[in-house]
Amino acid sequence: MVSFLGVLIGLICPIVLLFKFFHKFWWVPSRVKYVMSSQGIQGPPYDFIYGNTKEIYTMIKRSTGSAMDISHSMFPRIQPHIDLWLRLYGKNVVYWKGPQPELVVTEPELLKEIMSVREISMGKQDMGPTLTKIFGGGLVFSQGDKWAKQRKLATHVFNGERLKNIVPALIESVDMMLKRWKDEGTEEKEVYQEFRMMTSEVISRIVFGSSYEEGKQIFQKLGELSQSAAKSLYKTRLPGFGKILNIKEDLETNKLVADIRDIIMKMIRNREKMMNSEDEDGSMTGYLGILLKAHHDNDESYKLSIQDVIDECKTFYIAGHGTTSLLLSWVTLLLGIHTEWQEKAREEVQEVFGNQSPSSEGLSRLKIMGMIINETLRLYPPAISITRKVFKETRVGNLVLPPNLNIQIPSLALHQDPRIWGEDAHLFKPERFSEGVANAVNNNPGAFLPFGYGPRNCVGSNFAINEAKITLSMILKRYRFTISPNYVHEPVQHLTLRPKSGVQIMFQAL
Ligand code: HEM
């Protein structure tokens, strides 16, 4: 009897596994493909197991394999696959990341509809193994009640009054960088690295209430972790074999994750010791302080686990400095090329602040600088697309979207579309934003999304803009700058849109 059962289980198990395998890699993709094509949405053919990942990988490798002339036409270089498929199959395209379908939407009407459906606005895509290691259960990818709880805490950090209070710390961090520049005395600077360090210093203060020195190790280790995540972005893991084949990569990333956890835990222990001795008015500095209060909250609906606290610190650290340092690098590059706009911005800074340090009231009066920042975010958006997920079957306009469908709104493609922005879409022309964003997008609400949209839009956008305006104001007052002959134009996507070999700028003290 026992041996008969054993034989039966031995027979059934492989059949169940085989069934699951074909269900995931053949049946579901075939069904989704049928559902989408019967509603007029086409795309490249599904390649068994891998979907389109191999061709995406090859196309990107080819398009970003060498430097380009200094032009701002980024989309065909950074997303050659989307560029090709939109031309071949129409304004909305479905393609395959392994067996996972992803709908790319650029048609204005459908975009408007999708952006207005709440269930879709809230749904984030699964992260994949490496991004899970980076962000864990932090705000960027969390869902449901947990997201609502985290979002409330994060919004609290960047509310109007707190944002004002952060300004002196921002000025101090930029000042430290500029003092170092003065002491070093060199004319040429690689500003991407400079801004990464400076924004890291700022985010260390905001998250941990500590200086860059204390958060430095996290900064370095998270950098290594992001590089490893970027490498595996378009790799498909074979079912069952992934763990064996990627064992070296996994061991490395696991070690980095454990190290980061240890460093943050040490900071948490130190902060816990201080907690009782500090007063209640918020001098329990840093986001970590707010998170730890939530960890100790007696109300279960507000309570965060210690793992949540760690993940949230990592999330803010990554989301908070990588993107802003890129905005600053690209804007410095553009002003180093278009020096007439640099002069206009300098005059405005002089008019608004005179010989004083930047103040939060003055920042909103920097209109030209606002236009320059918007134009930079249009041409070089640090986050090149917005992603969502359909969790249950949803009707959107005339379409019925199946559950488990990923959605991609390709910001970079939309930001550079000549049908929206005109034939000069690839040129740096900040004057497009002179009458505000709504006017610049010409009745296309999804055409300019550097910070996303809806309830899941970027929680740090106002802070990032303030940080950029303060940094630029302080640089413009002390230096005139131009692009260095050593600069090589090689933008690549490593999770975000980055300059592969940095941004070399020549500075001349005023
Ligand atoms: C130029 C700088 C920045 C850019 C371009 C940027 C861009 C974005 C984008 C595109 C999203 C996704 C929005 C969506 O899906 O609709 C996002 C989300 C987010 N950003 Fe930023 N970001 C920047 C700075 C910051 C800063 C400084 C912080 C924090 C200190 C931050 C924290 C976050 C968080 C926590 C989310 C997730 C929000 C949620 O899902 O509820 N970002 N950001």
Side-chain angles (χ1 to χ4, degrees), residues 207-208 210 214 218 260-276 278 284 287-289 291-293 295-296 304-314:
V207 177
F208 302 116
S210 71
E214 218 181 320
I218 306 181
I260 294 167
R261 188 189 157 90
D262 288 349
I263 304 166
I264 297 179
M265 272 313 290
K266 207 167 127 200
M267 287 175 154
I268 289 178
R269 270 187 229 110
N270 288 344
R271 200 50 47 91
E272 294 262 50
K273 272 187 218 151
M274 289 157 59
M275 223 170 160
N276 294 332
E278 293 197 50
M284 172 69 198
Y287 189 34
L288 181 54
L291 294 171
L292 283 176
K293 275 189 186 148
H295 172 58
H296 290 289
L304 291 181
S305 71
I306 206 72
Q307 187 59 49
D308 288 339
V309 174
I310 294 174
D311 287 348
E312 204 58 347
C313 289
K314 283 197 299 189

Short mmCIF file of all heavy atoms in Angstrom, two decimals, residues 207-208 210 214 218 260-276 278 284 287-289 291-293 295-296 304-314:
data_model
loop_
_atom_site.label_atom_id
_atom_site.label_comp_id
_atom_site.label_asym_id
_atom_site.label_seq_id
_atom_site.Cartn_x
_atom_site.Cartn_y
_atom_site.Cartn_z
N VAL A 207 16.98 61.43 7.04
CA VAL A 207 16.52 60.11 7.47
C VAL A 207 17.06 59.78 8.87
O VAL A 207 16.32 59.38 9.75
CB VAL A 207 16.95 59.01 6.47
CG1 VAL A 207 16.54 57.63 6.98
CG2 VAL A 207 16.30 59.25 5.12
N PHE A 208 18.37 59.96 9.04
CA PHE A 208 18.97 59.47 10.29
C PHE A 208 19.26 60.59 11.28
O PHE A 208 19.68 60.33 12.41
CB PHE A 208 20.27 58.73 9.99
CG PHE A 208 20.07 57.57 9.05
CD1 PHE A 208 20.65 57.54 7.80
CD2 PHE A 208 19.29 56.48 9.43
CE1 PHE A 208 20.45 56.47 6.94
CE2 PHE A 208 19.08 55.42 8.58
CZ PHE A 208 19.67 55.42 7.33
N SER A 210 21.71 62.30 11.03
CA SER A 210 23.16 62.18 11.22
C SER A 210 23.86 62.80 10.02
O SER A 210 23.22 63.24 9.07
CB SER A 210 23.55 60.72 11.29
OG SER A 210 23.42 60.14 10.01
N GLU A 214 28.28 59.26 8.93
CA GLU A 214 27.62 58.13 9.59
C GLU A 214 26.87 57.25 8.58
O GLU A 214 26.85 56.03 8.70
CB GLU A 214 26.64 58.65 10.66
CG GLU A 214 26.64 57.80 11.90
CD GLU A 214 25.64 58.33 12.91
OE1 GLU A 214 25.56 59.57 13.06
OE2 GLU A 214 24.95 57.52 13.51
N ILE A 218 26.33 53.01 4.29
CA ILE A 218 25.08 52.59 3.65
C ILE A 218 25.09 53.08 2.20
O ILE A 218 24.72 52.35 1.28
CB ILE A 218 23.85 53.20 4.35
CG1 ILE A 218 23.89 52.89 5.83
CG2 ILE A 218 22.56 52.71 3.73
CD1 ILE A 218 22.71 53.44 6.59
N ILE A 260 23.94 46.05 5.20
CA ILE A 260 23.15 47.29 5.32
C ILE A 260 22.23 47.18 6.53
O ILE A 260 22.09 48.11 7.33
CB ILE A 260 22.33 47.56 4.03
CG1 ILE A 260 23.27 47.85 2.87
CG2 ILE A 260 21.37 48.74 4.24
CD1 ILE A 260 22.64 47.82 1.51
N ARG A 261 21.61 46.01 6.68
CA ARG A 261 20.72 45.80 7.83
C ARG A 261 21.48 46.02 9.14
O ARG A 261 20.99 46.69 10.05
CB ARG A 261 20.15 44.37 7.76
CG ARG A 261 19.08 44.13 8.79
CD ARG A 261 18.68 42.66 8.86
NE ARG A 261 18.09 42.41 10.17
CZ ARG A 261 16.81 42.54 10.44
NH1 ARG A 261 15.97 42.86 9.51
NH2 ARG A 261 16.36 42.34 11.66
N ASP A 262 22.70 45.47 9.22
CA ASP A 262 23.49 45.63 10.45
C ASP A 262 23.78 47.09 10.76
O ASP A 262 23.68 47.53 11.89
CB ASP A 262 24.83 44.87 10.33
CG ASP A 262 24.59 43.37 10.38
OD1 ASP A 262 23.46 42.96 10.72
OD2 ASP A 262 25.53 42.61 10.06
N ILE A 263 24.15 47.84 9.69
CA ILE A 263 24.50 49.26 9.92
C ILE A 263 23.26 50.02 10.40
O ILE A 263 23.31 50.80 11.36
CB ILE A 263 25.04 49.93 8.63
CG1 ILE A 263 26.24 49.17 8.07
CG2 ILE A 263 25.43 51.38 8.89
CD1 ILE A 263 26.61 49.57 6.66
N ILE A 264 22.12 49.77 9.72
CA ILE A 264 20.90 50.51 10.12
C ILE A 264 20.48 50.10 11.54
O ILE A 264 20.08 50.93 12.35
CB ILE A 264 19.76 50.30 9.10
CG1 ILE A 264 20.15 50.87 7.75
CG2 ILE A 264 18.48 51.00 9.58
CD1 ILE A 264 19.12 50.72 6.65
N MET A 265 20.61 48.79 11.85
CA MET A 265 20.23 48.33 13.20
C MET A 265 21.06 49.03 14.27
O MET A 265 20.56 49.40 15.33
CB MET A 265 20.42 46.81 13.32
CG MET A 265 19.25 45.96 12.90
SD MET A 265 17.66 46.47 13.56
CE MET A 265 17.81 46.07 15.28
N LYS A 266 22.34 49.23 13.95
CA LYS A 266 23.22 49.91 14.91
C LYS A 266 22.71 51.35 15.14
O LYS A 266 22.63 51.82 16.27
CB LYS A 266 24.65 49.95 14.35
CG LYS A 266 25.70 50.00 15.44
CD LYS A 266 27.06 49.72 14.85
CE LYS A 266 28.03 50.82 15.24
NZ LYS A 266 29.19 50.90 14.38
N MET A 267 22.32 52.01 14.04
CA MET A 267 21.80 53.38 14.16
C MET A 267 20.50 53.37 14.96
O MET A 267 20.25 54.28 15.76
CB MET A 267 21.55 53.97 12.79
CG MET A 267 22.82 54.32 12.07
SD MET A 267 22.41 54.88 10.42
CE MET A 267 23.80 55.91 10.08
N ILE A 268 19.66 52.35 14.71
CA ILE A 268 18.38 52.27 15.43
C ILE A 268 18.65 52.12 16.93
O ILE A 268 18.03 52.82 17.75
CB ILE A 268 17.53 51.09 14.89
CG1 ILE A 268 17.02 51.43 13.49
CG2 ILE A 268 16.35 50.79 15.82
CD1 ILE A 268 16.20 50.35 12.82
N ARG A 269 19.59 51.25 17.28
CA ARG A 269 19.88 51.04 18.72
C ARG A 269 20.34 52.34 19.36
O ARG A 269 19.89 52.72 20.43
CB ARG A 269 20.91 49.93 18.90
CG ARG A 269 20.22 48.58 19.02
CD ARG A 269 21.19 47.47 19.35
NE ARG A 269 20.97 46.37 18.44
CZ ARG A 269 21.77 45.97 17.47
NH1 ARG A 269 22.91 46.57 17.28
NH2 ARG A 269 21.45 44.97 16.69
N ASN A 270 21.23 53.05 18.67
CA ASN A 270 21.70 54.34 19.21
C ASN A 270 20.55 55.30 19.39
O ASN A 270 20.44 55.99 20.41
CB ASN A 270 22.72 54.99 18.26
CG ASN A 270 24.03 54.25 18.31
OD1 ASN A 270 24.27 53.47 19.24
ND2 ASN A 270 24.87 54.43 17.30
N ARG A 271 19.66 55.35 18.36
CA ARG A 271 18.54 56.29 18.42
C ARG A 271 17.56 55.91 19.53
O ARG A 271 17.02 56.75 20.22
CB ARG A 271 17.83 56.30 17.06
CG ARG A 271 16.98 57.50 16.77
CD ARG A 271 17.68 58.82 17.02
NE ARG A 271 19.01 58.89 16.44
CZ ARG A 271 19.29 59.32 15.25
NH1 ARG A 271 18.32 59.72 14.48
NH2 ARG A 271 20.53 59.38 14.81
N GLU A 272 17.37 54.59 19.72
CA GLU A 272 16.45 54.12 20.78
C GLU A 272 16.95 54.59 22.15
O GLU A 272 16.18 54.99 23.00
CB GLU A 272 16.35 52.59 20.79
CG GLU A 272 15.69 51.99 19.55
CD GLU A 272 14.23 51.67 19.74
OE1 GLU A 272 13.51 52.55 20.22
OE2 GLU A 272 13.83 50.55 19.39
N LYS A 273 18.29 54.55 22.32
CA LYS A 273 18.87 54.97 23.60
C LYS A 273 18.55 56.44 23.85
O LYS A 273 18.26 56.85 24.96
CB LYS A 273 20.39 54.80 23.57
CG LYS A 273 20.83 53.41 24.01
CD LYS A 273 22.35 53.37 24.12
CE LYS A 273 22.87 52.04 23.63
NZ LYS A 273 24.20 52.11 23.07
N MET A 274 18.62 57.25 22.74
CA MET A 274 18.40 58.69 22.89
C MET A 274 16.93 59.02 23.06
O MET A 274 16.56 60.09 23.52
CB MET A 274 18.89 59.44 21.64
CG MET A 274 20.39 59.48 21.49
SD MET A 274 20.78 59.76 19.76
CE MET A 274 19.94 61.32 19.48
N MET A 275 16.06 58.09 22.64
CA MET A 275 14.64 58.41 22.49
C MET A 275 14.01 59.00 23.73
O MET A 275 13.33 60.02 23.68
CB MET A 275 13.87 57.17 22.08
CG MET A 275 12.88 57.48 20.99
SD MET A 275 12.18 56.03 20.31
CE MET A 275 10.73 56.72 19.57
N ASN A 276 14.25 58.36 24.89
CA ASN A 276 13.61 58.84 26.10
C ASN A 276 14.14 60.20 26.53
O ASN A 276 13.42 61.01 27.10
CB ASN A 276 13.80 57.84 27.24
CG ASN A 276 13.06 56.57 26.92
OD1 ASN A 276 12.06 56.63 26.20
ND2 ASN A 276 13.56 55.45 27.41
N GLU A 278 15.08 62.66 24.63
CA GLU A 278 14.77 63.81 23.76
C GLU A 278 13.35 64.29 23.94
O GLU A 278 12.46 63.53 24.31
CB GLU A 278 15.01 63.42 22.31
CG GLU A 278 16.48 63.19 22.06
CD GLU A 278 16.80 63.22 20.58
OE1 GLU A 278 16.38 64.16 19.90
OE2 GLU A 278 17.47 62.30 20.13
N MET A 284 13.59 65.04 18.07
CA MET A 284 13.95 63.63 17.85
C MET A 284 14.19 63.54 16.35
O MET A 284 13.36 63.10 15.57
CB MET A 284 12.73 62.81 18.28
CG MET A 284 12.79 61.35 17.97
SD MET A 284 13.99 60.61 18.98
CE MET A 284 14.21 59.12 18.07
N TYR A 287 13.85 61.18 9.95
CA TYR A 287 12.70 60.33 9.65
C TYR A 287 12.75 59.08 10.51
O TYR A 287 11.72 58.55 10.93
CB TYR A 287 12.77 59.97 8.16
CG TYR A 287 11.58 59.27 7.61
CD1 TYR A 287 10.29 59.54 8.08
CD2 TYR A 287 11.71 58.34 6.58
CE1 TYR A 287 9.19 58.90 7.55
CE2 TYR A 287 10.62 57.70 6.05
CZ TYR A 287 9.35 57.98 6.53
OH TYR A 287 8.28 57.33 6.01
N LEU A 288 13.97 58.62 10.82
CA LEU A 288 14.12 57.44 11.67
C LEU A 288 13.39 57.64 13.01
O LEU A 288 12.75 56.72 13.52
CB LEU A 288 15.61 57.16 11.89
CG LEU A 288 15.97 55.95 12.75
CD1 LEU A 288 15.32 54.68 12.24
CD2 LEU A 288 17.48 55.76 12.78
N GLY A 289 13.48 58.85 13.55
CA GLY A 289 12.79 59.15 14.80
C GLY A 289 11.28 58.95 14.66
O GLY A 289 10.64 58.32 15.51
N LEU A 291 9.75 57.14 12.41
CA LEU A 291 9.46 55.71 12.18
C LEU A 291 9.53 54.92 13.48
O LEU A 291 8.71 54.03 13.73
CB LEU A 291 10.48 55.12 11.18
CG LEU A 291 10.41 55.66 9.75
CD1 LEU A 291 11.60 55.17 8.94
CD2 LEU A 291 9.11 55.24 9.07
N LEU A 292 10.50 55.27 14.34
CA LEU A 292 10.63 54.53 15.60
C LEU A 292 9.45 54.81 16.52
O LEU A 292 9.00 53.92 17.25
CB LEU A 292 11.95 54.87 16.28
CG LEU A 292 13.16 54.17 15.66
CD1 LEU A 292 14.45 54.62 16.31
CD2 LEU A 292 13.03 52.66 15.76
N LYS A 293 8.94 56.03 16.46
CA LYS A 293 7.74 56.32 17.25
C LYS A 293 6.61 55.42 16.78
O LYS A 293 5.84 54.89 17.58
CB LYS A 293 7.35 57.79 17.13
CG LYS A 293 8.11 58.65 18.11
CD LYS A 293 7.56 60.06 18.15
CE LYS A 293 8.44 60.91 19.04
NZ LYS A 293 8.51 62.28 18.64
N HIS A 295 6.95 52.56 15.42
CA HIS A 295 7.27 51.19 15.85
C HIS A 295 6.78 50.93 17.27
O HIS A 295 6.36 49.83 17.61
CB HIS A 295 8.79 50.98 15.74
CG HIS A 295 9.27 49.70 16.32
ND1 HIS A 295 8.80 48.47 15.90
CD2 HIS A 295 10.17 49.45 17.31
CE1 HIS A 295 9.39 47.52 16.61
NE2 HIS A 295 10.23 48.09 17.46
N HIS A 296 6.84 51.99 18.10
CA HIS A 296 6.43 51.83 19.50
C HIS A 296 4.96 52.20 19.74
O HIS A 296 4.50 52.19 20.87
CB HIS A 296 7.32 52.70 20.41
CG HIS A 296 8.72 52.19 20.48
ND1 HIS A 296 9.05 51.03 21.15
CD2 HIS A 296 9.87 52.62 19.92
CE1 HIS A 296 10.34 50.80 21.01
NE2 HIS A 296 10.86 51.76 20.27
N LEU A 304 4.61 49.95 13.16
CA LEU A 304 5.49 49.41 12.11
C LEU A 304 6.41 48.37 12.75
O LEU A 304 6.87 48.56 13.87
CB LEU A 304 6.37 50.52 11.52
CG LEU A 304 5.75 51.62 10.68
CD1 LEU A 304 6.84 52.58 10.22
CD2 LEU A 304 5.04 51.04 9.46
N SER A 305 6.70 47.30 12.02
CA SER A 305 7.67 46.32 12.53
C SER A 305 9.08 46.90 12.35
O SER A 305 9.27 47.86 11.59
CB SER A 305 7.55 45.00 11.77
OG SER A 305 8.05 45.19 10.47
N ILE A 306 10.05 46.28 13.01
CA ILE A 306 11.42 46.81 12.89
C ILE A 306 11.94 46.61 11.46
O ILE A 306 12.67 47.43 10.93
CB ILE A 306 12.36 46.19 13.96
CG1 ILE A 306 13.51 47.15 14.27
CG2 ILE A 306 12.91 44.84 13.57
CD1 ILE A 306 13.15 48.34 15.03
N GLN A 307 11.47 45.52 10.80
CA GLN A 307 11.87 45.30 9.40
C GLN A 307 11.30 46.42 8.52
O GLN A 307 11.98 46.91 7.62
CB GLN A 307 11.37 43.93 8.92
CG GLN A 307 11.88 43.54 7.53
CD GLN A 307 13.41 43.48 7.44
OE1 GLN A 307 14.06 42.88 8.29
NE2 GLN A 307 13.99 44.14 6.44
N ASP A 308 10.06 46.85 8.81
CA ASP A 308 9.47 47.97 8.06
C ASP A 308 10.32 49.23 8.23
O ASP A 308 10.53 49.99 7.28
CB ASP A 308 8.05 48.29 8.57
CG ASP A 308 7.04 47.22 8.17
OD1 ASP A 308 7.31 46.50 7.22
OD2 ASP A 308 6.00 47.12 8.85
N VAL A 309 10.78 49.44 9.46
CA VAL A 309 11.59 50.65 9.74
C VAL A 309 12.88 50.61 8.90
O VAL A 309 13.25 51.59 8.25
CB VAL A 309 11.91 50.75 11.25
CG1 VAL A 309 12.87 51.90 11.52
CG2 VAL A 309 10.64 50.92 12.06
N ILE A 310 13.51 49.44 8.89
CA ILE A 310 14.77 49.30 8.12
C ILE A 310 14.50 49.52 6.63
O ILE A 310 15.21 50.27 5.96
CB ILE A 310 15.38 47.89 8.35
CG1 ILE A 310 15.82 47.75 9.79
CG2 ILE A 310 16.54 47.63 7.40
CD1 ILE A 310 16.29 46.35 10.16
N ASP A 311 13.45 48.89 6.11
CA ASP A 311 13.14 49.01 4.68
C ASP A 311 12.82 50.45 4.30
O ASP A 311 13.19 50.92 3.21
CB ASP A 311 11.94 48.12 4.31
CG ASP A 311 12.32 46.64 4.30
OD1 ASP A 311 13.53 46.36 4.34
OD2 ASP A 311 11.41 45.80 4.27
N GLU A 312 12.13 51.15 5.18
CA GLU A 312 11.76 52.53 4.88
C GLU A 312 13.00 53.44 4.86
O GLU A 312 13.10 54.34 4.04
CB GLU A 312 10.74 52.98 5.93
CG GLU A 312 9.85 54.10 5.52
CD GLU A 312 9.02 53.83 4.27
OE1 GLU A 312 9.28 52.85 3.53
OE2 GLU A 312 8.15 54.63 4.00
N CYS A 313 13.94 53.18 5.79
CA CYS A 313 15.19 53.96 5.78
C CYS A 313 15.92 53.75 4.46
O CYS A 313 16.39 54.70 3.82
CB CYS A 313 16.11 53.52 6.92
SG CYS A 313 15.54 54.01 8.52
N LYS A 314 16.02 52.49 4.03
CA LYS A 314 16.73 52.17 2.77
C LYS A 314 16.03 52.86 1.59
O LYS A 314 16.66 53.45 0.72
CB LYS A 314 16.71 50.66 2.52
CG LYS A 314 17.69 49.90 3.36
CD LYS A 314 17.94 48.50 2.80
CE LYS A 314 16.73 47.63 2.74
NZ LYS A 314 16.96 46.24 2.40
#
